[in-house]
Amino acid sequence: METPNALISVVASSRAVISGRLTSATLVISQATGKITAVFDSVIPASHFPEGTPYRDYSPHVLLPGLVDAHVHLNEPGRTEWEGFYTGTQAAAFGGVTTVIDMPLNAIPPTTTVSGLKEKVKAAQGKCWVDVGFYGGIIPGNASELKGLVQEGVRGFKGFLIDSGVEEFPAVSSEDIKKAMVELASEPTTLMFHAEMIPPVTASVGDDVQTSAPPLAPEGPLEAYSTFLASRPPSFETYAIDEIISLSPIAPNLPLHIVHLSAMEAIPALRKARAEGVPITAETCFHYLSLAAEEIRDGDTRHKCCPPIRSRLNQDSLWSELERHAADGVIKTVVSDHSPCTPDLKLLPSHIPGSCLFGGAVANCKPKEEEEEEGNFFSAWGGISSVGLGLPILWTELSRRKKLTSATDDENTKRALQDIVRLCCANTAAQVGLESQKGDLLVGFDADICVFDDAAEWVVQPSTMLFRNKCSPYQGRILRGMVRETWLRGERMFSREDGFTSEVPSGKLLLEKRR
C-alpha cells in the first residue's frame, strides 16, 4: 500500500473488464510502484481526487488488462535481421500487449543452456518496450541444464517432436522427453511441445518431402497450398499428442502444454487425458482462428506455418472448443506465435505484398539461390507475423461470428470481451507463472492497461505493422477494434494518435524464479 503522500494517477471508464466481468471502473495507480492501489466499480469524477491528480476518463472505450502474449519469437541474438527485441516489443505495445514470452529457438545461441539464456538477456537489455520473459528449450543432451534454467527464471520449456527448421534446436525423442520430465518433475514450470510427429506409415515427411523419392514425394505442385496442407495432416498432431500423454505418468504433477494446436482431431484425446487427471492444456493462435486453407492463393507463402492453417470446418471446431474454455475446454489460451523472417526466406512471388520486389522495392533481401522457386511452400520459411495484431484479429472474427454491434453491451458483447481477457490475459499470465501480477486489473497488480476502441475499423498496412519485416498475411485486411493507448506499469507508453511517449524503452526483463 502507498503512503498518504505518495503520488497517484487515476484511469476510469464506463467499460472495463475486472476479474472477468465487464463493469464501470476507476483505477487508482501508484506512480511510485506502477501498481494498482484501488479499484472502484464506478466512474469516480476527477473532483473526488486531490487537485492536480493526473486523471483520464476513457469512456466509452474499454479498459482491458495488458495482453500477455505467451508465444513470441524475437530471434535476437543471432537472427536479429528476422526480428529483435526493439522492433518486436514495439509491435507488441502497438496492439495492447504489455508482456511477451520469448521462445528459445531461432536465436543463436538458443536458450537451451544457462549461458545461452545469459546471452539472450544481455542482448535484450535496454531494448524492450514491454515486459519480456523467457522460455528455455529442451533438446537432445541438455537435461542437466534444465534445473539451472529454472533457477535463472525461465517461465517454461519447449521442445519439438519434429524438425524445428533450425539446426541449433533439434527435435527430441521420447527418451529425451523422459529425461526432461524426470529433471523437471518437482520444479515450478511448464513443459511445452510443438506437437507434430511423423506416424509410422505416412504419405509425407514434412518440410523435406520435395527432395524425397516416391512414395514420399508431395502429390501436387509445390506452390499449391493444398499440396503443403496434405503433407502435414492432422495425424501428425494426434500422433504426437498421444505420445506426450503416454509419457505423462513419469511426472504426474508437471504441467504440460501443447503449443499452437491446429487440428480439431486432437481435441478428444486431450479432453480424455484431462478428465483422467493429466495436467495438460493447449493453446491455439490468431491465425488458426481467422485464416482458412480455402482462402490461401497458390504461392502466397505468407500463410505457411507448422502445423498448417487448415479448413474452415476445422476453424469452426476450434472456435467451438474455445466456447468451452471456462468449463471442460482444452484450449485455454490464444497467442500469436509470431515467427517472422526476412522477406527473401518467404520466397514470395513479386506480385504479393511483403515480397522483396513488391512495388519495385527491395528490403532486407538477399539474392535467391537459382534452384529456389518463388511461391514454393516447401522451401519457404514457416511462420506467421502478427505480434500486436492479435486483439483486433480476434475481435474482428468474434464480431462476425457473434454479430456484435457497438451500440450496446449486450450479453454477446460482454461475453466476448470477458473471453478475450481470460484467453489472452489471465490464462496466458497463469501459464507462465505471472498470475499474481499480470493479466487482470486488481489491487497489487501491475497497472498494465490496454485502452480498446471496439467500434473502430482500420486497414493493416506496413505503417501499422511495427515488427521488423513487413510481411504478413494480414496486410490489406480491414480489422475491427483498435488499441488507442497502451500503459505499462502505470505509465502511458503508446498512443495510436501520438505514437510512443518516450524515446527510451521501459520494459523489464522478468527473471524472478517461478513459484
Side-chain angles (χ1 to χ4, degrees):
M1 295 297 290
E2 62 180 4
T3 63
N5 295 325
L7 294 176
I8 62 169
S9 57
V10 178
V11 175
S13 178
S14 57
R15 307 165 74 212
V17 180
I18 312 285
S19 295
R21 61 191 181 91
L22 186 65
T23 178
S24 299
T26 301
L27 309 178
V28 180
I29 301 163
S30 166
Q31 293 186 1
T33 65
K35 302 280 188 182
I36 298 170
T37 59
V39 180
F40 301 95
D41 286 346
S42 62
V43 175
I44 298 176
S47 58
H48 285 225
F49 296 94
E51 185 177 353
T53 298
Y55 179 96
R56 291 180 175 87
D57 182 350
Y58 288 104
S59 305
H61 301 330
V62 191
L63 301 182
L64 305 176
L67 277 67
V68 178
D69 192 340
H71 192 145
V72 176
H73 295 266
L74 293 175
N75 300 346
E76 189 176 0
R79 292 190 175 94
T80 309
E81 71 275 15
W82 293 17
E83 187 65 277
F85 289 103
Y86 193 95
T87 49
T89 58
Q90 272 202 335
F94 173 90
V97 177
T98 53
T99 304
V100 301
I101 312 298
D102 177 62
M103 278 292 166
L105 72 157
N106 298 347
I108 303 173
T111 316
T112 52
T113 64
V114 170
S115 63
L117 174 64
K118 289 181 178 179
E119 287 290 312
K120 174 77 76 167
V121 169
K122 181 180 177 182
Q125 295 287 354
K127 298 178 183 176
C128 299
W129 291 89
V130 302
D131 289 355
V132 177
F134 303 94
Y135 289 123
I138 60 168
I139 60 172
N142 83 322
S144 63
E145 293 277 350
L146 303 184
K147 287 184 178 180
L149 284 165
V150 172
Q151 292 296 321
E152 293 293 326
V154 299
R155 315 309 303 180
F157 292 88
K158 179 186 181 181
F160 274 71
L161 278 73
I162 199 168
D163 180 23
S164 73
V166 293
E167 62 181 358
E168 320 86 44
F169 207 94
V172 289
S173 67
S174 295
E175 287 303 312
D176 297 319
I177 296 172
K178 290 177 184 177
K179 291 176 183 177
M181 286 181 165
V182 169
E183 287 293 308
L184 298 174
S186 60
E187 297 290 340
T189 194
T190 302
L191 187 53
M192 310 183 301
F193 298 96
H194 179 126
E196 286 184 288
M197 288 180 75
I198 302 165
V201 178
T202 180
S204 169
V205 292
D207 279 356
D208 293 326
V209 293
Q210 76 272 19
T211 59
S212 301
L216 300 179
E219 299 177 1
L222 301 185
E223 71 274 10
Y225 185 73
S226 58
T227 307
F228 173 67
L229 180 60
S231 80
R232 295 182 94 107
S235 59
F236 276 34
E237 291 189 69
T238 56
Y239 185 65
I241 288 170
D242 286 345
E243 180 69 8
I244 293 161
I245 292 170
S246 74
L247 296 172
S248 63
I250 294 170
N253 298 317
L254 177 64
L256 306 175
H257 184 72
I258 306 302
V259 300
H260 49 52
L261 181 75
S262 81
M264 63 181 182
E265 290 86 351
I267 291 171
L270 288 167
R271 179 170 291 122
K272 180 174 182 290
R274 284 177 57 81
E276 293 172 352
V278 178
I280 190 167
T281 55
E283 69 189 34
T284 194
C285 301
F286 303 118
H287 44 274
Y288 298 132
L289 297 172
S290 61
L291 305 175
E294 292 90 340
E295 303 166 355
I296 301 174
R297 294 177 295 169
D298 289 355
D300 193 350
T301 54
R302 295 177 301 174
H303 295 80
K304 180 185 176 179
C305 59
C306 301
I309 294 163
R310 304 192 187 276
S311 67
R312 287 194 188 94
L313 178 63
N314 184 86
Q315 184 186 99
D316 291 342
S317 294
L318 294 178
W319 275 104
S320 294
E321 184 64 18
L322 278 183
E323 292 283 329
R324 306 171 63 159
H325 73 90
D328 63 343
V330 301
I331 301 175
K332 299 296 187 182
T333 52
V334 182
V335 296
S336 69
D337 187 12
H338 175 65
S339 185
C341 65
T342 52
D344 56 294
L345 295 178
K346 277 293 188 183
L347 303 180
L348 279 169
S350 59
H351 67 278
I352 294 178
S355 72
C356 285
L357 298 177
F358 181 74
V362 178
N364 288 337
C365 292
K366 300 174 183 177
K368 286 199 293 290
E369 299 293 335
E370 288 185 7
E371 67 270 17
E372 290 179 336
E373 301 173 26
E374 286 187 346
N376 183 329
F377 273 97
F378 291 83
S379 297
W381 175 259
I384 305 291
S385 293
S386 66
V387 67
L389 301 178
L391 176 56
I393 289 168
L394 212 54
W395 190 249
T396 302
E397 190 66 17
L398 275 165
S399 297
R400 183 182 71 82
R401 289 176 176 270
K402 302 293 185 183
K403 297 179 171 58
L404 304 181
T405 67
S406 57
T408 59
D409 280 335
D410 59 17
E411 285 305 312
N412 280 341
T413 301
K414 287 181 181 179
R415 181 173 178 186
L417 289 168
Q418 291 164 179
D419 283 349
I420 282 177
V421 169
R422 290 192 185 100
L423 293 164
C424 301
C425 307
N427 289 0
T428 45
Q431 178 187 315
V432 296
L434 295 172
E435 65 272 23
S436 63
Q437 68 184 96
K438 305 285 188 182
D440 208 339
L441 299 175
L442 295 174
V443 172
F445 277 55
D446 291 344
D448 296 350
I449 304 168
C450 167
V451 181
F452 184 55
D453 181 349
D454 59 323
E457 293 188 344
W458 56 287
V459 179
V460 180
Q461 299 290 2
S463 62
T464 57
M465 297 185 290
L466 302 193
F467 35 83
R468 176 154 298 181
N469 295 290
K470 318 304 182 186
C471 179
S472 173
Y474 293 102
Q475 182 169 344
R477 287 180 175 253
I478 299 173
L479 297 183
R480 183 172 183 227
M482 178 185 291
V483 174
R484 293 291 182 181
E485 293 186 6
T486 303
W487 288 54
L488 179 67
R489 284 178 279 101
E491 295 290 336
R492 188 172 70 103
M493 48 90 72
F494 172 78
S495 161
R496 186 64 179 256
E497 291 184 358
D498 304 321
F500 289 87
T501 59
S502 170
E503 295 182 359
V504 181
S506 59
K508 290 184 177 180
L509 305 184
L510 304 172
L511 293 170
E512 290 185 7
K513 182 184 175 183
R514 282 187 65 166
R515 297 179 179 177

